[in-house]
Amino acid sequence: MNAWARFRRNRLALIGLALVLVLALSAALAPWIAPYDPARQSLFEKRAKPGAKYLLGADEFGRDILSRVIYGSRIALLVGLLSAIIAVGGGLVLGTLAGFIGGWLDSVMMRAIEILLAFPYLLLALAIVAALGNGAINTTIAVGVWGVPGVTRIVRGSVLVLRETEYVGAARALGAPVAALLRRHILPNVLPGLIVYATLFMANAILLEAALSFLGLGVQPPTASWGLMVSTGRDVLLIAPHVATVPGLAIMLAVLAFNLVGDGLRDALDPRLRGST
Amino acid sequence: MLTFLVRRLLLAVPVLLGVVFVVMLTIDLLPGDAVTLMLGEHATKDAVAALREHLGLDKPFAVRYLDYVSRVARGDLGRSIQQNRPVADELADAWPATLELTMAALVIATLLGIGAGVASAVWPNSLFDAGARLGSLFGLSMPIFWTGLVLIVIFSLWLNWLPVGGAGSLGHLVLPAITLALPSVAMVARMTRSAVLEVLREDYVRTARAKGLAERWVLGRHALRNAFIPILTLLGLQSGQLMGGAVLTETVFAWPGLGRMMVKAIFARDYILLQGAVLVFALAFVVINLLVDLSYGALDPRIGRQG
Amino acid sequence: MRSLASRGLVGVLVVALAATLAPSANAQKRGGTLTIVRPTDPVSLEPNLETTAPGAWVYFNILEGLLTLDDKMQVKPSLASSYEILSPTKVRFKLRPNIKFHDGTPFNAEAVRFTYDRALKGTPPARWASLAGSLDHAEVVDNLTVDIVTREPYGPILRTLAMYCMGIVSPAAVQKLGQDFSRAPVGTGPFKFVEWKTNTHVIIERNNDYWGDKALLDRVVFKVVPEEGARMIGLQTGDADMVLIPSPAQLPALRKDPKFAVHETTGIRVVFAGLHAGLPPLDDVRVRQALLHAVDRKAILDNIMEGSAGPAMGVLAPGVFGYKDMQLDKLYPFDRAKAKALLAQAGWTPGPDGILVKGGQRLSLSWLAARGRYPKDGEITEAIQAMFKEVGVEAKVQVLEWAAVFQQVRGNPLNHHMFTLGWVTSNADADYSLYPLFHSKQAPPAGWNTSRYVNPRVDTLVEQARRSLNQTEREKLYGEVQDILAKEPVWIPVYTTKEIVVTKASVKGFHIHPVEYNLALWKTWLDR
């Protein structure tokens, strides 16, 4: 049975996939499905409760929350996916190098990682924004770069263990080339945990982008980002909770979607690995 | 073993030097500087120049860096630019609070996370698994100030069981620790589930089961020990994140920790205070990484000493 | 034997005495601890290092100056019992006798001289030194007489000396504590310093040897609670008696609730959207006027500020000496048609996407703002951005952290058209605003004329007004300045702050002051 078939049998994973599709469609078709212009303000209708006119209510400027959530899916997908790709890509390469080659390279890299981990995240973001300017893409890069040390350490840890397993040892003794070792033995065992971590990382990424946007380093007004909507809705949390909670739930659904898909991928790919010796 | 420890601690020195270098350089390159920000509307050219000279901030980067490093080597962390107060005193005010909060959150995250993760792995895709997943994802996705304020409303305002904020008693610690721990619980739970599942399907586990060994024994001895390596790595990372990322929790609960202090220092470009705090974190990371690496060796003797 | 008359007199006296001693219905109660919550910790508790509110709120009760500003914005004697203007550059103050600092040392002219020398000539000088005009030094005449000398005639001298940061410090304490004085100030005020736990609280207690009316509270605890929501909850649960910087959105409900009292008054800070009058297309006064017409300031006040701020009538706040109502609402009412007409007059026509164009150029303005530096600064920027769009003006807003905005706004040249800023007239004298903000030689980094406004007549007027000691004449001169600024605006004033403090109903005797730094607690008492 191949991976796709196994995936298909996993109901939760399919639900996740469906949600991801909804998200993608939302982002792609935003101008056509959003009931209002997301930047259209109507100050005297501020914080309107969900109702007939504004299905999910209005924010502090009287802008329709539903429309902003729909448009916000674009930023969420960008931030979530791109930063995860940067973090995972970078971390995978560096972690594998460190774990597999070991020795002084590992030592140097781990010290560099320690420097990066101690480096205040806010400072990193400010630096990237100062260098590249603000906006969603640059904050995404900042978030992605911030994620690299963590992934590196996780990958390195796994690679260390796998390097010492019997079948890898045997394969090396038999003279298998490094590339094949990586591709057939090590990486497939590293990937499952990594996929799960990546999907969880996306939640963090979206929330970090929220904090940065709130400080003015991310999207600029009047662009809608779920994270920024939650951050600015914080002032009125006690009297108009829907302003912050609705985008928060959107974040949760997106994270859930990717997490379900991730777990499904992980479970689907797993049995195939055991047979690879 | 001893040589290993000594070698690792010596290696901490270049890390600390490196961190200070990068932080100082970055602050220099960012727009704005400490003196003009401090003087605010009173920042005339003369006032700025005079104050900069008085604080020694007009010297070139290399001079200031070496100056700072040599002073730290003698145990002097300098005085904060904003307050002109010894950095050591500022850190001493805030460090215990951060330690307390981080430890509490770590304990919660570990116990709840590993517990939920193991249970999810033992009954994958069950109702419990789905429930745990949803609950932990909720904790992960909702921003900290949202969960924090909601908890305050429930436990302080409605039930009046716990104080609104500040630090001091165990009661003050409960809500901030839970709030801070929630996102980590999700991470730890899901990663634990993944790692345990993987190991449960390994050959040697199948062999153990085939030999008729009790399920608990299988789980305990074999599965968890090897699953622990990525979990420990994650816990190491999470403890670092909990330390450094507690700013939002500290803000919502008025917890006087290092997180808020660092953010204020960054916005004020007070790099002397910032560096002091960063050194503390760097040292903490070195120690954490060291412990994690040591545990690799303890859990899986096949891994020789690394680094 | 006593006569009937003297017995009657004694009787009357006894009754009179009894009447004064008998508690009336609203008798003040002595004692208790007042807990105040506010967003940030002070940087320092001494005026030389700290001129912002978190520190000022505390040291305003510990230190006193020669003069003070009461809550009707009048200059009143404080540590000085009287003053006399000897010459355009010298004012003589007679000091009150028998006053002691909290450490027991005597308050005298030498202490005044010491304070001003330290502030103006110290290394480094006080933060406020550069904007104290030409204040030069203090001269001891005799033990209870001191002269304040300025380098040039300085019109705002009295209001400057009445500023919150002009407290007299104990020379003995400064010498003893050195740098630690900034964390444990010693003055003559109704309260004295007890303890400061960084980022947690500052505690002050009643000075029982105070020379004037003793304070009623035993202690005041200033706590740090950064989160607005948490502060408001603290008020409800009883963790706090008084909230500084409350949540505007909750005010309407609190005003109606008998368990709480909302104290508010118009403040002296104006928050505005500044226009760079030197950068096209804003160099055309018609464009600037059109922008003023495009903004619905009332909608912003009602829906974003929600009653937590007052309308901005001009570039100064009422209560500031020299203030004139520039009648902005009459001169530039919210009128989209008028805005569009003015822009058309200036040669701008609608382009394909609704944004106006002229000679191939879009009417696109770049706008710098910070978030959280002034109340709702990010929000009003976003609201005005939308309002501009309605008349065909595109505003590209860049929200940055305050350090970055500050750097750019103080820089030269400034490559942005607009910036969201606030300005508080710290000494409540028009000179503090009009000179650095509108004098042509005060463009950054020399001063704060961020709009790069140039008008020789205005230059002459503010220079003259600064050097004149005739307050009537000064008022006239400032009036003319504001008339000119009304005709060629370089600001879109959005609101005048309101000082708002929310307390539990049991907190009595608290009077809110228009100057945000003047948090006077010595008449406050607790009814419980």
Side-chain angles (χ1 to χ4, degrees):
Chain A
M1 194 192 296
N2 68 7
W4 172 236
R6 263 191 301 273
F7 188 91
R8 258 204 335 242
R9 280 178 39 162
N10 186 340
R11 282 231 312 260
L12 284 178
L14 285 177
I15 295 179
L17 196 58
L19 280 175
V20 170
L21 276 168
V22 166
L23 201 57
L25 282 174
S26 188
L29 301 175
W32 291 278
I33 49 177
Y36 294 89
D37 174 357
R40 172 189 163 280
Q41 292 186 6
S42 174
L43 286 178
F44 67 94
E45 285 178 303
K46 62 184 182 298
R47 304 194 292 263
K49 296 227 186 323
K53 185 162 182 198
Y54 300 112
L55 281 176
L56 291 177
D59 70 3
E60 60 274 26
F61 293 101
R63 296 182 294 208
D64 178 35
I65 292 184
L66 175 60
S67 306
R68 286 179 72 78
V69 165
I70 292 175
Y71 271 88
S73 61
R74 296 178 160 180
I75 305 287
L77 278 178
L78 172 71
V79 170
L81 285 176
L82 187 56
S83 65
I85 291 175
I86 295 176
V88 168
L92 195 55
V93 168
L94 293 174
T96 311
L97 276 175
F100 197 75
I101 299 181
W104 67 268
L105 181 66
D106 178 43
S107 201
V108 167
M109 285 180 67
M110 284 306 106
R111 304 290 85 73
I113 296 265
E114 273 158 21
I115 294 182
L116 277 177
L117 283 175
F119 192 76
Y121 164 65
L122 180 60
L123 201 54
L124 173 68
L126 284 175
I128 292 189
V129 165
L132 302 174
N134 50 17
I137 298 203
N138 293 332
T139 16
T140 307
I141 295 177
V143 174
V145 168
W146 170 79
V148 166
V151 176
T152 305
R153 273 205 61 96
I154 290 187
V155 169
R156 169 191 178 264
S158 295
V159 171
L160 276 179
V161 174
L162 291 164
R163 198 177 75 177
E164 306 300 329
T165 53
E166 281 128 8
Y167 48 84
V168 172
R172 276 171 104 178
L174 288 174
V178 168
L181 266 177
L182 286 174
R183 202 167 22 97
R184 292 178 59 197
H185 298 296
I186 299 198
L187 286 183
N189 283 300
V190 169
L191 274 179
L194 203 53
I195 292 176
V196 172
Y197 184 82
T199 62
L200 292 170
F201 178 81
M202 292 174 65
N204 258 337
I206 295 180
L207 289 175
L208 281 168
E209 184 272 326
L212 289 179
S213 290
F214 187 69
L215 296 171
L217 304 174
V219 297
Q220 295 301 305
T223 317
S225 101
W226 294 345
L228 185 59
M229 289 165 76
V230 177
S231 297
T232 44
R234 153 194 200 170
D235 289 338
V236 295
L237 190 62
L238 297 172
I239 55 172
H242 64 279
V243 178
T245 310
V246 168
L249 289 173
I251 296 177
M252 197 193 84
L253 279 176
V255 171
L256 178 67
F258 281 106
N259 185 254
L260 287 173
V261 169
D263 271 6
L265 262 181
R266 193 215 149 280
D267 290 353
L269 292 173
D270 198 5
R272 182 177 69 86
L273 305 171
R274 286 197 317 105
S276 64
T277 309
Chain B
M1 178 65 163
L2 196 59
T3 40
F4 173 65
L5 276 175
V6 168
R7 201 161 45 136
R8 276 295 281 268
L9 286 174
L10 280 179
L11 280 175
V13 173
V15 171
L16 297 177
L17 286 175
V19 165
V20 168
F21 185 83
V22 179
V23 167
M24 221 164 139
L25 191 61
T26 311
I27 293 268
D28 260 20
L29 294 175
L30 284 179
D33 81 282
V35 170
T36 18
L37 284 172
M38 264 200 310
L39 293 175
E41 66 202 40
H42 307 291
T44 61
K45 243 176 22 176
D46 298 327
V48 169
L51 193 51
R52 267 221 198 101
E53 204 198 307
H54 174 79
L55 295 171
L57 297 175
D58 54 345
K59 306 213 188 79
F61 176 80
V63 172
R64 279 182 289 128
Y65 176 70
L66 291 171
D67 212 23
Y68 183 81
V69 168
S70 60
R71 266 189 294 142
V72 172
R74 281 177 278 139
D76 173 16
L77 286 170
R79 288 177 165 263
S80 71
I81 300 179
Q82 298 172 80
Q83 286 214 33
N84 201 22
R85 196 177 167 228
V87 171
D89 290 351
E90 303 256 18
L91 294 179
D93 281 342
W95 174 236
T98 291
L99 192 64
E100 203 187 317
L101 186 60
T102 308
M103 298 265 83
L106 194 59
V107 164
I108 295 176
T110 308
L111 290 177
L112 275 183
I114 294 188
V118 168
S120 283
V122 168
W123 301 294
N125 294 327
S126 63
L127 207 58
F128 175 84
D129 188 18
R133 164 186 276 147
L134 215 57
S136 61
L137 278 183
F138 187 77
L140 177 65
S141 315
M142 293 314 271
I144 286 195
F145 56 81
W146 189 95
T147 29
L149 279 173
V150 166
L151 286 175
I152 291 180
V153 168
I154 298 178
F155 291 96
S156 297
L157 191 58
W158 291 345
L159 296 172
N160 222 332
W161 286 351
L162 295 167
V164 174
S169 64
L170 200 60
H172 283 102
L173 182 58
V174 171
L175 289 182
I178 294 179
T179 309
L180 185 59
L182 277 179
S184 293
V185 168
M187 279 251 172
V188 173
R190 301 323 292 170
M191 291 295 279
T192 304
R193 174 190 181 277
S194 170
V196 171
L197 267 180
E198 245 182 270
V199 170
L200 279 179
R201 294 173 195 182
E202 287 286 337
D203 282 336
Y204 58 86
V205 172
R206 284 204 314 171
T207 317
R209 280 206 182 110
K211 277 176 21 187
L213 293 168
E215 189 66 17
R216 248 193 14 218
W217 196 87
V218 171
L219 209 52
R221 288 272 303 202
H222 293 287
L224 279 185
R225 273 179 106 208
N226 279 298
F228 248 94
I229 301 220
I231 295 176
L232 264 176
T233 318
L234 182 67
L235 283 176
L237 285 173
Q238 287 296 303
S239 50
Q241 260 198 291
L242 288 172
M243 259 199 305
V247 166
L248 285 176
T249 312
E250 288 176 16
T251 305
V252 173
F253 292 97
W255 189 265
L258 277 176
R260 263 200 289 145
M261 181 177 282
M262 273 184 23
V263 168
K264 247 170 80 167
I266 292 177
F267 283 130
R269 305 291 192 262
D270 187 345
Y271 69 90
I272 310 238
L273 178 58
L274 180 62
Q275 267 155 214
V278 171
L279 279 175
V280 167
F281 280 128
L283 215 51
F285 273 109
V286 167
V287 169
I288 291 175
N289 279 349
L290 181 58
L291 289 173
V292 171
D293 282 353
L294 278 177
S295 66
Y296 287 169
L299 284 174
D300 190 342
R302 295 175 301 177
I303 304 177
R305 301 290 150 56
Q306 296 304 318
Chain C
M1 197 199 90
R2 294 195 187 170
S3 70
L4 207 57
S6 50
R7 250 202 222 152
L9 191 58
V10 170
V12 166
L13 282 173
V14 168
V15 170
L17 199 59
T20 52
L21 288 178
S24 56
N26 270 329
Q28 301 172 326
K29 292 201 192 124
R30 217 164 175 255
T33 300
L34 179 73
T35 304
I36 302 181
V37 289
R38 74 259 207 274
T40 42
D41 210 28
V43 164
S44 159
L45 286 180
E46 79 131 320
N48 283 10
L49 293 178
E50 163 83 289
T51 49
T52 65
W57 284 329
V58 178
Y59 68 65
F60 189 70
N61 294 287
I62 299 178
L63 303 169
E64 300 175 293
L66 296 172
L67 300 168
T68 190
L69 208 59
D70 71 5
D71 52 20
K72 308 274 180 304
M73 302 299 276
Q74 298 304 314
V75 173
K76 287 276 182 320
S78 179
L79 285 177
S81 54
S82 67
Y83 60 87
E84 188 193 341
I85 299 183
L86 292 183
S87 79
T89 55
K90 197 184 271 208
V91 185
R92 174 158 294 181
F93 290 89
K94 286 249 176 284
L95 307 176
R96 286 187 213 272
N98 303 323
I99 296 182
K100 290 211 177 12
F101 286 107
H102 300 144
D103 60 359
T105 58
F107 162 72
N108 52 26
E110 175 55 30
V112 176
R113 188 200 62 77
F114 178 86
T115 302
Y116 280 100
D117 265 1
R118 180 171 175 259
L120 298 169
K121 302 196 183 351
T123 339
R127 301 263 185 274
W128 50 261
S130 55
L131 277 171
S134 45
L135 206 55
D136 195 62
H137 66 274
E139 266 167 20
V140 173
V141 176
D142 65 42
N143 196 39
L144 288 176
T145 314
V146 69
D147 285 348
I148 302 287
V149 180
T150 58
R151 282 188 293 276
E152 299 172 333
Y154 186 54
I157 178 71
L158 292 178
R159 281 175 183 262
T160 302
L161 292 174
M163 274 208 286
Y164 63 97
C165 50
M166 295 286 176
I168 308 296
V169 300
S170 154
V174 171
Q175 262 137 19
K176 193 168 89 154
L177 295 169
Q179 280 176 333
D180 288 337
F181 181 82
S182 72
R183 285 190 65 91
V186 174
T188 56
F191 286 92
K192 52 184 166 166
F193 173 82
V194 174
E195 112 175 334
W196 179 3
K197 200 151 170 253
T198 311
N199 273 331
T200 309
H201 62 232
V202 179
I203 304 183
I204 62 178
E205 69 182 5
R206 174 175 57 237
N207 173 13
N208 285 315
D209 299 315
Y210 184 57
W211 57 270
D213 290 333
K214 317 268 185 288
L216 293 159
L217 296 164
D218 285 338
R219 286 198 149 192
V220 180
V221 179
F222 292 84
K223 281 201 192 155
V224 179
V225 179
E227 187 76 19
E228 192 178 82
R231 286 201 290 284
M232 304 310 291
I233 295 182
L235 191 65
Q236 310 248 354
T237 59
D239 287 65
D241 299 311
M242 179 185 276
V243 175
L244 300 177
I245 319 285
S247 158
Q250 293 189 25
L251 290 176
L254 289 169
R255 287 193 187 101
K256 298 200 212 110
D257 191 333
K259 295 201 296 294
F260 303 103
V262 176
H263 309 264
E264 48 191 330
T265 186
T266 308
I268 54 170
R269 188 190 290 266
V270 174
V271 172
F272 58 94
L275 305 167
H276 188 333
L279 196 61
L282 292 181
D283 51 352
D284 184 338
V285 68
R286 288 169 300 188
V287 174
R288 302 203 298 268
Q289 289 169 336
L291 291 179
L292 270 163
H293 281 293
V295 176
D296 185 355
R297 291 173 329 144
K298 183 161 183 314
I300 293 181
L301 282 173
D302 289 342
N303 297 302
I304 298 184
M305 307 314 296
E306 297 190 81
S308 70
M313 304 302 212
V315 299
L316 293 176
V320 169
F321 171 78
Y323 163 78
K324 182 167 182 179
D325 181 351
M326 283 162 63
Q327 311 251 328
L328 289 179
D329 283 343
K330 279 220 200 75
L331 290 171
Y332 303 104
F334 172 53
D335 187 343
R336 288 210 176 113
K338 187 96 200 280
K340 290 187 186 159
L342 276 167
L343 290 167
Q345 249 183 58
W348 294 91
T349 49
D353 60 353
I355 302 296
L356 298 171
V357 288
K358 174 172 157 185
Q361 286 263 37
R362 285 161 66 91
L363 188 45
S364 181
L365 305 172
S366 69
W367 189 339
L368 277 184
R371 195 188 292 273
R373 169 78 187 168
Y374 307 102
K376 304 270 180 235
D377 47 5
E379 286 84 340
I380 59 182
T381 308
E382 234 177 304
I384 299 181
Q385 179 191 40
M387 291 170 184
F388 277 1
K389 187 128 177 273
E390 301 279 341
V391 298
V393 177
E394 177 184 58
K396 289 214 170 76
V397 172
Q398 257 198 60
V399 175
L400 298 172
E401 51 149 347
W402 173 245
V405 172
F406 187 77
Q407 165 106 334
Q408 298 227 32
V409 153
R410 294 261 324 153
N412 208 10
L414 175 65
N415 295 320
H416 295 273
H417 295 98
M418 298 182 63
F419 33 90
T420 308
L421 282 181
W423 186 266
V424 61
T425 320
S426 297
N427 64 2
D429 187 300
D431 171 76
Y432 199 87
S433 286
L434 298 180
Y435 193 95
L437 293 170
F438 298 108
H439 190 292
S440 61
K441 297 243 177 354
Q442 291 283 306
W448 280 91
N449 186 348
T450 38
S451 302
R452 273 82 173 157
Y453 176 66
V454 174
N455 186 321
R457 176 75 189 142
V458 167
D459 286 357
T460 315
L461 288 168
V462 296
E463 281 165 16
Q464 247 189 299
R466 173 174 270 203
R467 295 177 59 90
S468 158
L469 282 153
N470 178 337
Q471 306 299 329
T472 325
E473 180 193 13
R474 296 182 70 224
E475 227 175 341
K476 222 170 56 118
L477 293 168
Y478 287 131
E480 198 188 324
V481 171
Q482 288 166 84
D483 285 337
I484 299 177
L485 286 173
K487 291 207 211 74
E488 30 180 64
V490 288
W491 281 11
I492 303 179
V494 181
Y495 67 79
T496 306
T497 48
K498 265 200 204 161
E499 295 311 313
I500 308 187
V501 168
V502 183
T503 63
K504 299 227 288 263
S506 56
V507 174
K508 303 249 196 277
F510 175 71
H511 298 287
I512 187 122
H513 199 293
V515 176
E516 63 202 57
Y517 311 103
N518 295 15
L519 187 71
L521 296 170
W522 45 86
K523 292 216 179 73
T524 311
W525 54 282
L526 297 170
D527 188 8
R528 47 171 189 240

